[in-house]
Amino acid sequence: MREIDADLIRRTIKDLFLQANFVLSPDVIAAFEKGKTIEESPVGRDIFDRLLENAALAKEHRIPICQDTGLAIIFVDLGQEVHIVGGDLESALEQGVRQAYQEGFLRKSVCHPLTRKNTGDNTPITIHTTVVPGDKLRLVAMPKGGGGENMSRLFMLPPSAGWAGVKEKVVQTVDEAGPNPCPPLVVGVAVGGSFELAAREVKKALLRPVGQPNPDPEAAALEAELLEAINDTGVGPQGLGGRVTALAVHLKLLPCHIASLPLAVNLQCHAARHAEAVL
């Protein structure tokens, strides 16, 4: 059994949330540059220039890429041969997030659902833990902004809806969202599973590097079909019209109950932020 100190987890998750809020990963930058070459609208091409400039300034000056520094979503792959010492996992993660948002001067976005009183430290956090073989601990930090979340949807379709029904709902979701989720988007789509599994897995799907094809040829072909249909909506960069409404579609196909066809659509704004570490 390998021991990992809770304080190391705290420091790591703090650094990950600072990094994710300040630095867009190379795959996202490459997707912006590719999008600019595809975009037909002059306004849209100018928006891509501004997005690239914004990302460069954020990285250089270590300031947030976006004013919405998001809810703290954390994915944990916990090796079954890991023993956490000096504290517990959840407290270490929460403390790391608290310190990142305090010390990094990041906007705290968590509040009571009815009174709207801010909790003041961007906690509580959302943790998705998977126990895996081995003696490693993988942490993925995802600051998720409100614009994309507000326009995301979960559908419980009848099985008879089939792929045509799924495609209709995905495109409808993006089209109705318009400029609100700050396109160009990365569109997460989970088909199957259950009510809660689809919602969790669609967020995981957003972690795949933008532009990396789905390893499943069937899913890759469906992703390409969805991306073409989404970009045919003409919503365009920042909703001002154009060719590139989405940079990519990330699809997950999950086994489901014979009477159900769950569909989760999670919209990720152009600031597709995440950072990870393995301890």
Side-chain angles (χ1 to χ4, degrees), residues 159-183:
S160 59
W163 174 247
V166 168
K167 183 177 176 181
E168 178 187 355
K169 290 298 183 185
V170 172
V171 176
Q172 177 187 327
T173 298
V174 175
D175 196 24
E176 291 180 353
N180 295 303
C182 293

Side-chain angles (χ1 to χ4, degrees), residues 70-246:
L71 297 178
I73 313 294
I74 302 174
F75 292 93
V76 179
D77 287 344
L78 176 63
Q80 62 184 5
E81 296 171 32
V82 170
H83 179 210
I84 297 170
V85 297
D88 66 277
L89 176 63
E90 183 169 343
S91 297
L93 294 174
E94 192 162 84
Q95 184 63 15
V97 168
R98 187 176 290 118
Q99 291 182 355
Y101 279 75
Q102 283 293 127
E103 296 176 22
F105 301 101
L106 307 178
R107 193 185 80 180
K108 291 85 176 174
S109 301
V110 181
C111 68
H112 186 281
L114 299 178
T115 66
R116 314 307 292 178
K117 181 180 179 183
N118 199 297
T119 63
D121 58 8
N122 223 47
T123 68
I125 60 180
T126 301
I127 309 170
H128 300 292
T129 304
T130 304
V131 178
V132 299
D135 61 357
K136 306 291 185 186
L137 176 65
R138 176 174 177 256
L139 300 172
V140 182
M142 171 191 267
K144 192 73 169 63
E149 289 293 273
N150 288 346
M151 307 314 294
S152 298
R153 298 289 182 266
L154 179 65
F155 303 94
M156 297 302 289
L157 299 174
S160 59
W163 174 247
V166 168
K167 183 177 176 181
E168 178 187 355
K169 290 298 183 185
V170 172
V171 176
Q172 177 187 327
T173 298
V174 175
D175 196 24
E176 291 180 353
N180 295 303
C182 293
L185 308 169
V186 178
V187 181
V189 179
V191 181
S194 59
F195 185 86
E196 72 273 21
L197 185 60
R200 186 190 72 182
E201 291 301 306
V202 75
K203 247 188 188 63
K204 273 190 182 178
L206 293 173
L207 300 177
R208 183 171 16 121
V210 179
Q212 182 183 91
N214 195 306
D216 175 1
E218 177 193 7
L222 296 175
E223 286 179 345
E225 184 179 334
L226 284 176
L227 182 61
E228 182 178 359
I230 287 169
N231 284 337
D232 281 344
T233 61
V235 172
Q238 295 296 298
L240 296 175
R243 185 65 193 155
V244 186
T245 301

